[in-house]
Amino acid sequence: MRAVFGIVLVVGIALAGGAVMMVKNRIAAYQNALAHERATQAQIVKTVDVFVAAQPLKYGERLLPDAVKAVRWPEESLPEGVFRTAEDIFPPDRPEDKRVVLRQMEVGEPILAVKVTKPGEEAGLTSRLERGMRAFAIKVDVTSGVSGFLRPGDRVEVYWTGNMVNSQGNRQGEVTRLIQSNIELIAVDQTAGDVDGALIARTVTVAVKPVQVAALAQAQSSGRLSLALVGAEDDTIASVVEVDQRKLLGVAEYEAPIAVTEEKVCTIRNRRGAEVVEIPIPCTN
């Protein structure tokens, strides 16, 4: 009888220990799941509605309601000028006035205020000129226009080649000089949007200040203009650049020797016995 009692006691203790272990495992699993859920909630980023392109959009195309769609966008990384409601893009009080695309956009790209016109505004060059800037056209060809690789939005340097004239009106030889640096192209020929492939343009239009317009007009009428394309990430400003034929060929400028005029001395000779004496006198013609 005592043996049976002992066996029952041992079995009871074992079952109790197993139950305790199961409870501990359940509690640990619950705590791990709770910690994982809290970590996941901490990683959730707050988002808001932003309108993006629902289809490829090209320059000059009218922006219609079926060309945009709303997506969720992280609120902390919103681009400047986004549209968050349909009423912002398409004013309900002016349904006939549509915006026009100013820059090419791909599917999923946010619609920004700088990429479209105001409601009812046309996509002309005037909409791309900032305050105080003017549009000026420069004649180019395959050599002066960087072989047709210029695009609206690029930045270029303008070099002038012509004959230098001094204050007396005498030509001093042909030189090439940098006259404008880091100016923006806003159109190539009659295209202000994106250009497909290489285009051999006849004119490019730049956005410059009025004083630069005067300088470019004078340079274009008195010599030849050439453009040099500036890199997209290049923010350097070129200093004064000027090259003439002597500098190009490494020829030093010749300086004529200065003639030295010898002072003329006039004398008279007097004989005093066997001695001859020379006496200086003023020279006369």
Side-chain angles (χ1 to χ4, degrees):
M1 189 67 181
R2 291 181 179 178
V4 173
F5 178 77
I7 293 172
V8 171
L9 180 61
V10 171
V11 172
I13 293 174
L15 291 174
V20 171
M21 293 298 297
M22 291 178 62
V23 171
K24 286 185 177 181
N25 292 336
R26 287 290 183 90
I27 293 175
Y30 173 77
Q31 290 177 341
N32 291 335
L34 182 61
H36 178 71
E37 182 180 358
R38 289 176 177 175
T40 303
Q41 290 179 350
Q43 294 177 357
I44 295 177
V45 179
K46 186 178 180 180
T47 59
V48 295
D49 284 336
V50 169
F51 279 84
V52 301
Q55 63 188 38
L57 300 175
K58 296 183 179 180
Y59 172 83
E61 182 179 347
R62 293 191 177 277
L63 190 64
L64 301 177
D66 59 354
V68 301
K69 63 179 180 181
V71 299
R72 302 298 293 179
W73 197 278
E75 187 177 24
E76 295 182 354
S77 59
L78 282 179
E80 184 177 356
V82 296
F83 295 97
R84 299 179 58 176
T85 64
E87 290 74 15
D88 292 339
I89 305 180
F90 311 104
D93 56 336
R94 301 165 59 186
E96 70 283 354
D97 294 337
K98 303 298 182 184
R99 298 178 185 269
V100 180
V101 178
L102 294 177
R103 302 180 187 176
Q104 181 176 342
M105 288 179 277
E106 301 299 332
V107 176
E109 188 173 346
I111 307 296
L112 304 181
V114 296
K115 296 182 180 181
V116 294
T117 65
K118 297 179 180 179
E121 187 180 56
E122 295 297 329
L125 288 181
T126 54
S127 63
R128 305 196 63 176
L129 288 174
E130 298 180 0
R131 181 180 178 85
M133 305 299 284
R134 304 291 185 267
F136 181 80
I138 300 175
K139 293 182 293 185
V140 295
D141 53 28
V142 65
T143 55
S144 62
V146 198
S147 299
F149 289 102
L150 298 177
R151 298 291 183 272
D154 289 343
R155 293 189 174 273
V156 297
E157 294 176 341
V158 183
Y159 290 81
W160 174 81
T161 301
N163 288 298
M164 293 290 291
V165 180
N166 59 21
S167 58
Q168 287 76 31
N170 299 322
R171 292 187 176 184
Q172 296 180 322
E174 191 174 80
V175 300
T176 296
R177 173 180 294 180
L178 172 64
I179 59 173
Q180 299 292 335
S181 62
N182 206 31
I183 60 177
E184 181 184 4
L185 297 181
I186 57 176
V188 176
D189 278 344
Q190 282 73 47
T191 303
D194 294 324
V195 179
D196 295 330
L199 173 65
I200 306 302
R202 292 176 296 177
T203 60
V204 295
T205 304
V206 296
V208 290
K209 296 179 179 179
V211 64
Q212 293 174 298
V213 171
L216 290 172
Q218 177 64 28
Q220 192 161 240
S221 64
S222 60
R224 303 185 305 277
L225 297 183
S226 301
L227 306 182
L229 186 61
V230 179
E233 303 297 329
D234 190 351
D235 58 354
T236 58
I237 303 298
S239 58
V240 177
V241 178
E242 180 177 312
V243 176
D244 57 14
Q245 292 179 351
R246 291 186 177 276
K247 185 179 294 185
L248 176 66
L249 300 176
V251 178
E253 186 174 356
Y254 174 76
E255 295 183 1
I258 300 175
V260 179
T261 304
E262 296 183 359
E263 184 179 358
K264 187 176 181 181
V265 180
C266 299
T267 60
I268 58 175
R269 293 184 178 185
N270 290 332
R271 180 178 294 276
R272 296 177 181 177
E275 182 181 2
V276 176
V277 179
E278 293 186 351
I279 303 173
I281 63 173
C283 296
T284 60
N285 294 330

